[in-house]
């Protein structure tokens, strides 16, 4: 995040000075934004950067305990430098939060520079997991840095101490978060695919009940209950991969535009990265836990690979923007788009569907038989109509409030649901778009089509209330969708293993006994158990002090 922050918010001169050193790791940087008392509310940060015109320097200071930087990754023990987000003060005026490059440690002996207090914030959730990330705390006691270490693409401070706002939008200060949110969406598919690969392979190995005439028991993957929980997750892993590819394209496009000072697509890039980061990480975190349950008791063993994956993954729901806070950003964007519909401004990009307002408010789903739900146009229209009608309902309810902010706060649960509907539409529509492209490999496209339908119809089934209460579909059509979904599960089943093998994870990367490629699960579980340090001795350490006295009823001498 250090490098993207300098690239996005620094001037050419600053790029030339700092980027080569960072690329070569002559300096190691981190992104110091979050504070002990301020996470989601970036505008509420308290650290100050006060310009001193006498020395042409900024004085970086932590005025309160709550202004201590808290959480930045790589800060605690490793970084030599940081991009520090602080309130810019010139004269007596506060110009809001800006980024500053600050050296934290000596490049000779790594000791903190005068005025800097820095350390690690301590252990986190899970015994290994994200503890390998060196999250740090940082306080400044009137630390001086030269004026040219303020990142000056968005605003500048002159030698005389004059604050100059350039024509670059202020939101660019948030640009690094847009970049990282986009990478988190791509990573969601990798983490989800990993969990699904383990659970699918193990579900084919595991047999339980159903033995007839002494024959083998039934593979658990053949139970419809297992399929209805597992296959939508498999479909989601593919769906998130495609939406991740598309988001990467969107980000690259917006970056090129920003370089040419075209800021028109920034609000959409913000809404898409925020919404998809929120949606994909929430689904993935829940899915990893679901995969653990799908593996029964053995899923709870560390060597299933799932507990570690869960512990490492779940902070994604909070870092880089709490998932609920981010969905509210999407809702604001949607309400703004709806409010501009009458003005003649045509919605573009992911909100282009709102341009067909009249049709989407009136259209009726034409499904009469279960197989009608296999038509991409039918699915797309149902998702578009549902998302649009939910946004319109929110906008109508908002208009009843004299103070829009009061209305936004009161209606925030409904706004969240509208934002989720919009994000689900994006994923469904990008998957359908992907299927319109050439897809190499005999039969691959067919399998991806089946999974696309599973993805869309399981969402429809899960959110049936939305679709029915907005009159996008009837309860009968909802039941037909569910019927079709069951048929699709049977079509996924024969290729389920191949579809997870296609993620191409090595056993080493998966780190899972249950998910091993050759399926030799029980033998490996047995061997792994003997590798546990507790099994190094037959009689455990401490037996004589703790257990023996109890067995022999020498309770007073037992070390309890
Ligand atoms: C095995 C697998 C492992 C996986 C492994 C993955 C590894 C992947 C490593 C990742 C590693 C992460 C490392 C985390 C490191 C941290 O967590 S860094 C800290 C993260 N912190 C956050 O994300 C803070 C979240 N908060 C915010 O972003 C902002 O405060 C909020 C919520 C957007 C609100 O902003 P605000 O300015 O107070 O309020 P608001 O009036 O809503 O916004 C003002 C305007 O700016 C716009 N705006 C807001 N944000 C933006 C933006 N970003 N861009 C453009 N415009 C924006 C708004 O749309 C609004 O526009 P208008 O409506 O006025 O036109």
């Amino acid at each position: 995040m250090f490098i993207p922050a300098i690239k996005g918010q620094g001037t050419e001169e600053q790029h030339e000075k700092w980027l080569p050193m960072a690329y070569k790791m002559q300096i190691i940087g981190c992104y110091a934004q979050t504070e002990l008392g301020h996470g989601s509310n970036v505008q509420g940060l308290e650290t100050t950067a006060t310009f001193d015109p006498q020395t042409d320097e900024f004085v970086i200071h932590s005025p309160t305990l709550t202004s201590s930087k808290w959480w930045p990754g790589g800060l605690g023990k490793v970084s030599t430098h940081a991009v520090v987000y602080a309130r810019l003060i010139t004269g007596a005026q506060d110009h809001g939060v800006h980024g500053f490059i600050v050296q934290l440690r000596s490049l000779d002996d790594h000791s903190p520079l005068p005025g800097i207090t820095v350390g690690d914030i301590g252990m986190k959730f899970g015994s290994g997991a994200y503890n390998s990330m060196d999250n740090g705390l940082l306080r400044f006691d009137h630390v001086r840095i030269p004026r040219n270490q303020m990142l000056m693409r968005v605003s500048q401070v002159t030698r005389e101490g004059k604050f100059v706002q350039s024509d670059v939008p202020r939101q660019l200060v948030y640009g690094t978060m847009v970049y990282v949110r986009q990478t988190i969406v791509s990573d969601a598919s990798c983490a989800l695919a990993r969990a699904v690969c383990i659970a699918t392979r193990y579900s084919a190995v595991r047999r339980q009940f159903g033995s007839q005439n002494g024959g083998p028991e039934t593979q658990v993957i053949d139970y419809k209950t297992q399929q209805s929980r597992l296959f939508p997750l498999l479909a989601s892993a593919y769906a998130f991969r495609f939406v991740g590819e598309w988001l990467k394209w969107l980000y690259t496009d917006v970056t090129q535009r920003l370089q040419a000072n075209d800021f028109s697509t920034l609000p959409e890039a913000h809404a898409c990265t925020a919404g998809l980061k929120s949606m994909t990480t929430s689904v993935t975190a829940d899915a990893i836990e679901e995969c653990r349950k799908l593996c029964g008791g053995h899923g709870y063993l560390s060597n299933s690979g799932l507990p570690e994956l869960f512990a490492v993954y779940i902070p994604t729901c909070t870092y880089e923007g709490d998932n609920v806070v981010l969905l509210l950003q999407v809702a604001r964007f949607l309400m703004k788009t709806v409010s501009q519909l009458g003005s003649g401004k045509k919605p573009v990009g992911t909100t282009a569907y709102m341009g067909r307002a009249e049709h989407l408010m009136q259209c009726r789903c034409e499904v009469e038989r279960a197989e009608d739900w296999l038509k991409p146009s039918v699915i797309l229209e149902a998702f578009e109509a549902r998302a649009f009608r939910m946004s319109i309902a929110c906008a109508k309810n908002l208009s009843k409030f004299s103070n829009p902010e009061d209305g936004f706060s009161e209606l925030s649960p409904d706004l969240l649901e509208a934002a989720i509907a919009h994000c689900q539409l994006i994923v469904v529509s990008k998957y359908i778009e992907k299927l319109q492209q050439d897809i190499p490999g005999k039969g691959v496209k067919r399998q991806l089509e089946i999974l696309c339908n599973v993805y869309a119809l399981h969402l429809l089934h899960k959110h049936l209330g939305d679709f029915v209460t907005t009159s996008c579909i009837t309860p009968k059509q909802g039941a037909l969708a569910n019927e079709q979904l069951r048929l699709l599960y049977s079509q996924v089943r024969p290729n389920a293993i191949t579809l997870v093998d296609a993620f191409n994870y090595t056993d080493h990367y998966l780190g899972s006994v249950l998910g091993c490629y050759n399926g030799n699960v029980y033998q490996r579980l047995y061997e792994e158990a003997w590798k546990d340090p507790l099994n190094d001795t037959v009689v455990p350490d401490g037996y004589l002090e703790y257990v023996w006295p109890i067995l022999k009823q020498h309770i007073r001498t037992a070390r309890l």
Side-chain angles (χ1 to χ4, degrees):
M1 294 185 78
F2 180 71
I3 290 174
I6 296 175
K7 275 169 118 177
Q9 294 148 52
T11 59
E12 291 286 330
E13 215 171 283
Q14 289 172 322
H15 292 175
E16 277 166 29
K17 173 168 178 190
W18 295 99
L19 293 179
M21 286 192 284
Y23 283 132
K24 283 192 249 165
M25 288 205 142
Q26 289 169 317
I27 60 172
I28 300 172
C30 66
Y31 182 88
Q33 177 180 294
T34 304
E35 296 177 353
L36 189 52
H38 314 276
S40 297
N41 183 9
V42 180
Q43 288 195 36
L45 296 178
E46 290 181 87
T47 305
T48 49
T50 310
F51 184 63
D52 178 353
Q54 301 216 311
T55 59
D56 197 22
E57 289 171 319
F58 289 107
V59 182
I60 312 287
H61 186 58
S62 312
T64 58
L65 179 64
T66 46
S67 71
S68 309
K69 293 294 174 189
W70 195 270
W71 278 113
L75 164 69
K77 292 288 155 193
V78 180
S79 289
T80 61
H81 288 67
V83 168
V84 173
Y85 286 84
R87 316 198 72 77
L88 168 64
I89 297 172
T90 60
Q93 235 191 322
D94 182 331
H95 303 284
V97 172
H98 290 75
F100 300 83
I101 300 174
V102 183
Q103 181 170 352
L104 308 176
R105 291 182 160 105
S106 155
L107 289 173
D108 297 321
D109 64 5
H110 209 58
S111 57
L113 295 187
I116 299 229
T117 305
V118 62
D120 187 276
I121 59 169
M123 288 291 279
K124 289 147 288 191
F125 186 102
S127 55
Y130 217 65
N131 284 303
S132 60
M133 172 58 71
D134 174 26
N135 296 102
L137 65 90
L138 172 64
R139 286 183 63 77
F140 301 99
D141 182 5
H142 299 96
V143 173
R144 289 180 169 268
I145 58 165
R147 182 171 55 93
N148 65 9
Q149 285 181 210
M150 169 177 158
L151 294 176
M152 293 224 199
R153 182 170 178 212
V154 179
S155 335
Q156 296 92 42
V157 172
T158 64
R159 175 64 192 92
E160 296 72 38
K162 197 165 156 244
F163 175 75
V164 183
Q165 180 86 55
S166 71
D167 49 7
V168 173
R170 238 199 74 67
Q171 284 89 329
L172 220 62
V173 174
Y174 298 148
T176 314
M177 293 186 277
V178 174
Y179 164 72
V180 180
R181 285 171 194 156
Q182 170 264 130
T183 67
I184 291 173
V185 174
S186 301
D187 285 336
S189 169
C190 298
L192 177 53
R194 205 163 141 177
V196 166
C197 181
I198 295 168
T200 306
R201 286 181 179 167
Y202 179 61
S203 296
V205 169
R206 182 71 169 176
R207 290 173 180 273
Q208 210 76 174
F209 301 111
S211 164
Q212 282 176 0
N213 305 324
E217 295 171 280
T218 305
Q219 288 170 283
V220 297
I221 199 170
D222 285 327
Y223 288 105
K224 280 286 167 195
T225 47
Q226 192 85 352
Q227 293 179 2
S228 66
R229 291 161 67 199
L230 181 60
F231 292 166
L233 305 183
L234 172 61
S236 304
Y238 276 92
F240 293 175
R241 187 147 305 199
F242 300 140
V243 84
E245 281 172 10
W246 168 78
L247 197 60
K248 193 162 263 171
W249 168 84
L250 183 81
Y251 180 78
T252 312
D253 181 67
V254 79
T255 312
Q256 282 164 358
R257 286 169 188 266
L258 291 179
Q259 273 157 6
N261 285 345
D262 168 5
F263 307 106
S264 59
T265 55
L266 189 58
E268 204 210 355
H270 165 50
C272 288
T273 47
L276 291 172
K277 179 273 183 186
S278 172
M279 198 199 98
T280 56
T281 57
S282 292
V283 169
T284 300
D286 291 348
I288 296 170
E289 170 62 358
E290 185 70 357
C291 285
R292 183 188 69 74
K293 292 180 195 154
L294 285 164
C295 292
H298 300 334
Y300 192 64
L301 279 170
S302 280
N303 62 28
S304 75
L306 292 166
E308 172 85 4
L309 182 59
F310 181 70
V312 170
Y313 194 77
I314 47 170
T316 57
C317 296
T318 313
Y319 67 49
E320 219 49 50
D322 169 83
N323 278 355
V324 169
V325 171
L326 292 185
L327 281 179
L328 289 173
Q329 287 286 305
V330 179
R332 277 192 194 278
F333 172 71
L334 293 176
M335 292 306 103
K336 207 169 178 176
T337 311
V338 168
S339 72
Q340 290 167 346
L341 285 179
S343 71
K345 192 174 170 205
K346 229 175 134 203
V348 291
T350 48
T351 52
Y353 68 100
M354 293 190 171
R356 288 180 283 115
E358 210 173 315
H359 173 73
L360 290 178
M361 288 309 281
Q362 289 169 0
C363 61
R364 292 278 168 266
C365 175
E366 287 167 8
V367 166
E368 286 173 1
R369 295 162 309 156
E371 59 265 36
D372 291 340
W373 274 119
L374 297 177
K375 294 180 198 149
S377 57
V378 170
I379 290 179
L380 203 53
E381 187 171 271
F383 274 81
E384 285 179 346
R386 167 227 189 186
F388 186 62
R389 291 179 196 189
M390 288 173 79
S391 280
I392 292 292
C394 284
K396 272 193 185 145
N397 288 334
L398 271 176
S399 68
K400 294 176 194 154
F401 288 80
S402 50
N403 179 342
E405 282 310 309
D406 287 347
F408 201 86
S409 159
E410 187 63 23
L411 298 174
S412 51
D414 298 351
L415 286 156
L416 279 188
E417 287 173 13
I420 289 171
H422 174 73
C423 293
Q424 289 176 346
L425 165 63
I426 297 177
V427 182
V428 168
S429 64
K430 295 303 157 196
Y431 199 155
I432 290 174
E433 270 176 30
K434 174 79 187 177
L435 292 173
Q436 283 155 4
Q437 297 168 11
D438 255 359
I439 296 177
K442 191 161 172 271
V444 173
K445 189 169 186 163
R446 177 75 200 114
Q447 295 308 314
L448 293 180
E449 277 166 2
I450 294 170
L451 286 179
C452 181
N453 289 328
V454 168
Y455 181 72
L457 295 185
H458 106 276
L459 284 181
L460 192 141
H461 181 60
K462 194 169 159 194
H463 298 272
L464 197 56
D466 286 357
F467 286 89
V468 173
T469 54
T470 51
S471 303
C472 293
I473 69 169
T474 62
K476 169 95 194 305
Q477 288 169 328
L480 288 173
N482 198 28
E483 191 181 318
Q484 185 56 57
L485 194 53
R486 264 200 317 274
L487 298 172
L488 287 166
Y489 292 151
S490 303
Q491 293 173 34
V492 174
R493 167 64 187 98
N495 290 305
I497 298 298
T498 321
L499 284 164
V500 298
D501 286 352
F503 295 130
N504 205 16
Y505 291 146
T506 61
D507 277 348
H508 176 73
Y509 177 77
L510 269 187
S512 169
V513 167
L514 302 188
C516 61
Y517 182 73
N518 68 7
N520 197 9
V521 170
Y522 293 137
Q523 183 66 35
R524 284 203 51 201
L525 275 174
Y526 192 78
E527 285 164 8
E528 287 297 316
W530 290 112
K531 290 183 191 160
D532 191 282
L534 271 178
N535 289 330
D536 286 351
T537 53
V538 179
V539 175
D541 290 350
Y543 167 76
L544 278 179
E545 299 97 308
Y546 295 95
V547 183
W548 185 85
I550 297 174
L551 291 175
K552 297 299 172 196
Q553 297 294 289
H554 298 161
I555 308 294
R556 253 176 286 141
T557 58
R559 288 183 61 189
L560 296 171

Short mmCIF file of all heavy atoms in Angstrom, two decimals, residues 1 31 33-34 39-40 42-43 171 174 177-178 180-181 187 191 194 266 270 309 313 319-321 325 329 336, ligand 1:
data_model
loop_
_atom_site.label_atom_id
_atom_site.label_comp_id
_atom_site.label_asym_id
_atom_site.label_seq_id
_atom_site.Cartn_x
_atom_site.Cartn_y
_atom_site.Cartn_z
N MET A 1 0.83 -1.21 0.00
CA MET A 1 0.00 0.00 0.00
C MET A 1 0.86 1.26 0.00
O MET A 1 0.40 2.33 -0.37
CB MET A 1 -0.93 0.00 1.21
CG MET A 1 -1.98 -1.09 1.17
SD MET A 1 -3.15 -1.01 2.52
CE MET A 1 -4.25 0.29 2.01
N TYR A 31 1.57 1.65 5.27
CA TYR A 31 0.48 2.61 5.05
C TYR A 31 -0.17 2.89 6.40
O TYR A 31 -0.90 2.03 6.93
CB TYR A 31 -0.51 1.95 4.09
CG TYR A 31 -1.71 2.77 3.68
CD1 TYR A 31 -1.65 3.62 2.58
CD2 TYR A 31 -2.91 2.66 4.36
CE1 TYR A 31 -2.77 4.34 2.17
CE2 TYR A 31 -4.03 3.38 3.96
CZ TYR A 31 -3.95 4.21 2.87
OH TYR A 31 -5.06 4.92 2.46
N GLN A 33 -2.65 4.67 8.26
CA GLN A 33 -3.88 5.47 8.24
C GLN A 33 -4.68 5.26 9.52
O GLN A 33 -4.91 6.19 10.29
CB GLN A 33 -4.72 5.07 7.02
CG GLN A 33 -6.06 5.79 6.92
CD GLN A 33 -6.83 5.34 5.68
OE1 GLN A 33 -6.44 5.59 4.56
NE2 GLN A 33 -7.94 4.67 5.90
N THR A 34 -5.08 4.00 9.76
CA THR A 34 -5.99 3.69 10.87
C THR A 34 -5.38 4.08 12.23
O THR A 34 -4.19 3.91 12.46
CB THR A 34 -6.29 2.17 10.84
OG1 THR A 34 -6.82 1.88 9.56
CG2 THR A 34 -7.28 1.78 11.91
N GLY A 39 -11.20 4.13 12.67
CA GLY A 39 -10.96 3.15 11.61
C GLY A 39 -11.74 3.49 10.37
O GLY A 39 -11.21 4.01 9.40
N SER A 40 -13.07 3.27 10.44
CA SER A 40 -13.92 3.55 9.27
C SER A 40 -13.95 5.04 8.94
O SER A 40 -13.93 5.44 7.78
CB SER A 40 -15.36 3.09 9.54
OG SER A 40 -15.38 1.70 9.72
N VAL A 42 -12.39 7.92 8.23
CA VAL A 42 -11.08 8.45 7.86
C VAL A 42 -11.01 9.96 8.10
O VAL A 42 -9.98 10.49 8.54
CB VAL A 42 -10.76 8.11 6.39
CG1 VAL A 42 -9.41 8.65 5.99
CG2 VAL A 42 -10.80 6.60 6.17
N GLN A 43 -12.13 10.64 7.86
CA GLN A 43 -12.11 12.10 8.07
C GLN A 43 -11.94 12.46 9.55
O GLN A 43 -11.63 13.60 9.88
CB GLN A 43 -13.40 12.72 7.54
CG GLN A 43 -13.43 12.72 6.02
CD GLN A 43 -14.51 13.65 5.48
OE1 GLN A 43 -14.76 14.70 6.05
NE2 GLN A 43 -15.14 13.26 4.40
N GLN A 171 -11.04 12.98 -3.39
CA GLN A 171 -11.23 11.55 -3.12
C GLN A 171 -10.02 10.72 -3.51
O GLN A 171 -9.91 9.56 -3.13
CB GLN A 171 -12.45 11.01 -3.89
CG GLN A 171 -13.77 11.40 -3.28
CD GLN A 171 -14.26 12.71 -3.84
OE1 GLN A 171 -13.47 13.57 -4.20
NE2 GLN A 171 -15.56 12.87 -3.92
N TYR A 174 -8.19 8.72 -1.14
CA TYR A 174 -8.68 7.38 -0.80
C TYR A 174 -8.28 6.34 -1.86
O TYR A 174 -8.71 5.19 -1.81
CB TYR A 174 -10.21 7.36 -0.72
CG TYR A 174 -10.84 8.24 0.34
CD1 TYR A 174 -12.09 8.83 0.13
CD2 TYR A 174 -10.23 8.45 1.57
CE1 TYR A 174 -12.70 9.61 1.10
CE2 TYR A 174 -10.83 9.23 2.55
CZ TYR A 174 -12.06 9.81 2.31
OH TYR A 174 -12.66 10.57 3.27
N MET A 177 -6.98 2.73 -1.26
CA MET A 177 -7.96 1.76 -0.77
C MET A 177 -8.74 1.15 -1.94
O MET A 177 -9.09 -0.02 -1.91
CB MET A 177 -8.91 2.43 0.24
CG MET A 177 -8.17 2.83 1.52
SD MET A 177 -9.28 3.44 2.79
CE MET A 177 -9.48 5.14 2.30
N VAL A 178 -8.96 1.95 -2.98
CA VAL A 178 -9.64 1.41 -4.17
C VAL A 178 -8.79 0.30 -4.78
O VAL A 178 -9.29 -0.78 -5.13
CB VAL A 178 -9.89 2.53 -5.22
CG1 VAL A 178 -10.47 1.95 -6.50
CG2 VAL A 178 -10.82 3.58 -4.64
N VAL A 180 -6.46 -1.59 -3.30
CA VAL A 180 -6.36 -2.81 -2.49
C VAL A 180 -7.69 -3.56 -2.49
O VAL A 180 -7.73 -4.79 -2.54
CB VAL A 180 -5.87 -2.51 -1.06
CG1 VAL A 180 -5.77 -3.79 -0.25
CG2 VAL A 180 -4.51 -1.85 -1.11
N ARG A 181 -8.80 -2.82 -2.47
CA ARG A 181 -10.12 -3.50 -2.49
C ARG A 181 -10.25 -4.35 -3.75
O ARG A 181 -10.79 -5.45 -3.72
CB ARG A 181 -11.25 -2.46 -2.40
CG ARG A 181 -11.38 -1.91 -0.99
CD ARG A 181 -12.33 -0.72 -0.89
NE ARG A 181 -12.14 -0.06 0.40
CZ ARG A 181 -12.43 1.21 0.65
NH1 ARG A 181 -12.94 1.97 -0.30
NH2 ARG A 181 -12.21 1.71 1.85
N ASP A 187 -8.54 -12.04 -4.71
CA ASP A 187 -8.10 -13.03 -3.72
C ASP A 187 -9.27 -13.83 -3.15
O ASP A 187 -9.08 -14.97 -2.71
CB ASP A 187 -7.36 -12.35 -2.57
CG ASP A 187 -5.97 -11.91 -2.99
OD1 ASP A 187 -5.44 -12.50 -3.94
OD2 ASP A 187 -5.43 -10.97 -2.38
N ALA A 191 -9.28 -17.90 -2.21
CA ALA A 191 -9.52 -18.49 -0.88
C ALA A 191 -10.75 -19.39 -0.91
O ALA A 191 -10.76 -20.48 -0.35
CB ALA A 191 -9.69 -17.36 0.14
N ARG A 194 -10.10 -22.61 -2.67
CA ARG A 194 -9.28 -23.49 -1.83
C ARG A 194 -10.16 -24.29 -0.86
O ARG A 194 -10.02 -25.50 -0.73
CB ARG A 194 -8.32 -22.58 -1.06
CG ARG A 194 -7.08 -23.23 -0.62
CD ARG A 194 -6.10 -22.12 -0.27
NE ARG A 194 -5.35 -22.50 0.91
CZ ARG A 194 -4.39 -21.76 1.42
NH1 ARG A 194 -4.09 -20.60 0.88
NH2 ARG A 194 -3.73 -22.17 2.48
N LEU A 266 -14.36 7.58 -11.60
CA LEU A 266 -13.90 7.30 -10.23
C LEU A 266 -15.05 6.90 -9.29
O LEU A 266 -14.92 5.92 -8.55
CB LEU A 266 -13.12 8.50 -9.67
CG LEU A 266 -12.40 8.28 -8.35
CD1 LEU A 266 -11.40 7.13 -8.43
CD2 LEU A 266 -11.69 9.55 -7.89
N HIS A 270 -15.15 3.38 -7.34
CA HIS A 270 -15.24 3.32 -5.87
C HIS A 270 -16.41 2.43 -5.45
O HIS A 270 -16.26 1.54 -4.60
CB HIS A 270 -15.39 4.74 -5.31
CG HIS A 270 -15.85 4.78 -3.88
ND1 HIS A 270 -15.25 4.04 -2.89
CD2 HIS A 270 -16.86 5.47 -3.28
CE1 HIS A 270 -15.86 4.27 -1.73
NE2 HIS A 270 -16.84 5.12 -1.94
N LEU A 309 -7.17 -21.43 7.26
CA LEU A 309 -7.67 -20.60 6.16
C LEU A 309 -8.72 -19.63 6.67
O LEU A 309 -8.72 -18.44 6.31
CB LEU A 309 -8.26 -21.52 5.07
CG LEU A 309 -8.78 -20.84 3.80
CD1 LEU A 309 -7.67 -20.05 3.11
CD2 LEU A 309 -9.35 -21.88 2.83
N TYR A 313 -8.41 -15.65 6.73
CA TYR A 313 -9.29 -14.96 5.78
C TYR A 313 -10.23 -13.94 6.43
O TYR A 313 -10.47 -12.86 5.85
CB TYR A 313 -10.11 -15.97 4.94
CG TYR A 313 -10.71 -15.24 3.79
CD1 TYR A 313 -9.92 -14.89 2.69
CD2 TYR A 313 -12.02 -14.78 3.83
CE1 TYR A 313 -10.43 -14.12 1.67
CE2 TYR A 313 -12.53 -14.01 2.80
CZ TYR A 313 -11.73 -13.69 1.72
OH TYR A 313 -12.22 -12.91 0.73
N TYR A 319 -10.83 -5.37 7.35
CA TYR A 319 -9.78 -4.46 6.86
C TYR A 319 -10.14 -3.91 5.48
O TYR A 319 -10.95 -4.47 4.76
CB TYR A 319 -8.39 -5.06 6.95
CG TYR A 319 -7.97 -6.25 6.09
CD1 TYR A 319 -8.17 -6.31 4.72
CD2 TYR A 319 -7.28 -7.30 6.69
CE1 TYR A 319 -7.73 -7.37 3.97
CE2 TYR A 319 -6.82 -8.38 5.93
CZ TYR A 319 -7.05 -8.40 4.57
OH TYR A 319 -6.60 -9.45 3.83
N GLU A 320 -9.51 -2.79 5.20
CA GLU A 320 -9.77 -2.07 3.95
C GLU A 320 -11.24 -1.66 3.84
O GLU A 320 -11.80 -1.57 2.76
CB GLU A 320 -9.38 -2.97 2.77
CG GLU A 320 -8.71 -2.22 1.65
CD GLU A 320 -7.61 -1.31 2.11
OE1 GLU A 320 -6.73 -1.76 2.86
OE2 GLU A 320 -7.63 -0.12 1.75
N GLY A 321 -11.84 -1.38 5.00
CA GLY A 321 -13.21 -0.90 5.03
C GLY A 321 -14.16 -1.98 5.53
O GLY A 321 -14.29 -3.02 4.89
N VAL A 325 -20.03 -0.74 6.30
CA VAL A 325 -19.72 0.66 5.94
C VAL A 325 -19.56 0.78 4.42
O VAL A 325 -20.05 1.73 3.80
CB VAL A 325 -18.44 1.13 6.68
CG1 VAL A 325 -17.99 2.48 6.17
CG2 VAL A 325 -18.68 1.17 8.18
N GLN A 329 -21.70 2.86 1.28
CA GLN A 329 -21.14 3.71 0.22
C GLN A 329 -21.81 3.37 -1.11
O GLN A 329 -22.12 4.25 -1.90
CB GLN A 329 -19.63 3.49 0.11
CG GLN A 329 -18.83 4.09 1.24
CD GLN A 329 -18.74 5.60 1.14
OE1 GLN A 329 -18.32 6.15 0.12
NE2 GLN A 329 -19.16 6.29 2.18
N LYS A 336 -27.80 8.34 -5.41
CA LYS A 336 -27.41 9.47 -6.25
C LYS A 336 -27.78 9.21 -7.71
O LYS A 336 -28.32 10.07 -8.40
CB LYS A 336 -25.90 9.66 -6.12
CG LYS A 336 -25.43 11.06 -6.35
CD LYS A 336 -23.98 11.15 -5.93
CE LYS A 336 -23.42 12.51 -6.18
NZ LYS A 336 -22.06 12.67 -5.70
C1 LIG B 1 -5.66 -17.00 1.61
C2 LIG B 1 -6.22 -15.70 1.17
C3 LIG B 1 -5.78 -14.53 1.93
C4 LIG B 1 -6.29 -13.26 1.33
C5 LIG B 1 -5.44 -12.15 1.71
C6 LIG B 1 -5.68 -10.94 0.90
C7 LIG B 1 -4.46 -10.08 0.88
C8 LIG B 1 -4.75 -8.70 0.53
C9 LIG B 1 -3.92 -7.83 1.33
C10 LIG B 1 -4.70 -6.68 1.75
C11 LIG B 1 -4.08 -6.01 2.90
C12 LIG B 1 -5.06 -5.08 3.43
C13 LIG B 1 -4.51 -4.26 4.48
C14 LIG B 1 -5.58 -3.48 5.09
C15 LIG B 1 -5.08 -2.20 5.57
C16 LIG B 1 -6.19 -1.38 5.98
O1 LIG B 1 -7.15 -1.83 6.51
S1 LIG B 1 -5.98 0.28 5.66
C17 LIG B 1 -7.35 1.05 6.34
C18 LIG B 1 -8.62 0.73 5.70
N1 LIG B 1 -9.56 1.70 6.11
C19 LIG B 1 -10.62 1.90 5.43
O2 LIG B 1 -10.87 1.24 4.45
C20 LIG B 1 -11.47 3.03 5.89
C21 LIG B 1 -12.87 2.91 5.41
N2 LIG B 1 -13.47 4.23 5.34
C22 LIG B 1 -13.51 4.92 4.19
O3 LIG B 1 -13.06 4.48 3.15
C23 LIG B 1 -14.17 6.29 4.25
O4 LIG B 1 -14.04 6.87 5.47
C24 LIG B 1 -15.63 6.23 3.85
C25 LIG B 1 -16.39 5.19 4.62
C26 LIG B 1 -15.63 5.90 2.38
C27 LIG B 1 -16.31 7.54 4.10
O5 LIG B 1 -15.63 8.61 3.51
P1 LIG B 1 -16.01 10.12 3.87
O6 LIG B 1 -15.16 11.02 3.06
O7 LIG B 1 -16.02 10.30 5.33
O8 LIG B 1 -17.53 10.22 3.52
P2 LIG B 1 -18.43 10.35 2.24
O9 LIG B 1 -19.09 11.66 2.40
O10 LIG B 1 -19.26 9.12 2.24
O11 LIG B 1 -17.49 10.39 0.98
C28 LIG B 1 -17.14 11.56 0.35
C29 LIG B 1 -17.08 11.35 -1.13
O12 LIG B 1 -15.94 10.56 -1.42
C30 LIG B 1 -16.31 9.44 -2.21
N3 LIG B 1 -15.41 8.37 -1.85
C31 LIG B 1 -15.29 7.76 -0.66
N4 LIG B 1 -14.33 6.84 -0.72
C32 LIG B 1 -13.82 6.88 -1.97
C33 LIG B 1 -12.81 6.15 -2.63
N5 LIG B 1 -12.12 5.19 -2.03
N6 LIG B 1 -12.54 6.47 -3.92
C34 LIG B 1 -13.24 7.43 -4.55
N7 LIG B 1 -14.22 8.13 -3.98
C35 LIG B 1 -14.50 7.86 -2.70
C36 LIG B 1 -17.76 9.20 -1.84
O13 LIG B 1 -18.40 8.48 -2.85
C37 LIG B 1 -18.27 10.61 -1.72
O14 LIG B 1 -18.47 11.10 -3.02
P3 LIG B 1 -19.64 12.18 -3.30
O15 LIG B 1 -20.93 11.50 -2.93
O16 LIG B 1 -19.35 13.34 -2.44
O17 LIG B 1 -19.54 12.45 -4.77
#
